[in-house]
Amino acid sequence: MIVTDKISLPTEGDCQIIDITDQVRSRLKETGLANGIVTVFVAGTTAGIAIVEYEPGLAEDLKAAMERLVPRGLPYRHNILNQDDNGHSHTQATLIGPSVVVPFADEKPLLGTWQRIVLVDFDSRPRQRELVIQTMGE
């Protein structure tokens, strides 16, 4: 059986990290499925989904790492061609990716002790993000 659900979240951008683990757990429980996989996908090209240890130090480390890898102030072709300012956001999101797949058993995601599912919004402005939670299982 496959169950598809959506979550809508307001975000601030600028590498904001939002823990969505509890929302995914809740949606998973609502499916009535006991075992399978759950895919979490963000519909957008300036945000990503990741599994991290969600704590303030790591949030700052990730933001600093992304700024070192893909700095905001470079002359991105995207910005020039589209009169925009978020070329770095698109590139950073590409490095993280738009989705994760998590196995579950007994209606619970099989995450490690410190693992959390997060949405990372890299855009240069606030957005309303749409997440797709697709569960496959029995």
Side-chain angles (χ1 to χ4, degrees), residues 12-13 22 32 47 76 109-110 114 124-125 127:
E12 298 171 8
D22 292 339
Y76 293 96
L110 298 174
W114 304 110
S124 56
R125 63 182 189 268
R127 294 257 186 202

Side-chain angles (χ1 to χ4, degrees), residues 21 25 51-52 102 109-116:
T21 309
R25 278 191 178 121
I51 295 177
V52 301
V102 179
L110 298 174
L111 295 169
T113 302
W114 304 110
Q115 287 182 310
R116 305 293 287 183

Side-chain angles (χ1 to χ4, degrees), residues 15-114:
C15 201
Q16 178 189 19
I17 300 175
I18 301 171
D19 184 352
I20 58 171
T21 309
D22 292 339
Q23 289 153 300
V24 172
R25 278 191 178 121
S26 175
R27 300 299 168 95
L28 177 58
K29 202 157 192 60
E30 290 171 8
T31 68
L33 299 172
N35 303 293
I37 58 173
V38 59
T39 301
V40 182
F41 173 82
V42 60
T45 58
T46 57
I49 302 289
I51 295 177
V52 301
E53 179 178 347
Y54 182 70
E55 55 87 20
L58 181 95
E60 290 302 317
D61 291 342
L62 179 59
K63 186 173 183 175
M66 285 301 189
E67 183 60 30
R68 283 191 305 274
L69 289 170
V70 187
R72 179 183 292 255
L74 295 180
Y76 293 96
R77 297 292 300 158
H78 171 81
N79 295 351
I80 296 164
L81 293 171
N82 297 289
Q83 290 79 47
D84 210 344
D85 70 346
N86 67 353
H88 71 288
S89 307
H90 289 282
T91 307
Q92 289 173 344
T94 300
L95 295 176
I96 296 294
S99 65
V100 297
V101 176
V102 179
F104 67 92
D106 300 321
E107 300 181 348
K108 296 177 187 142
L110 298 174
L111 295 169
T113 302
W114 304 110

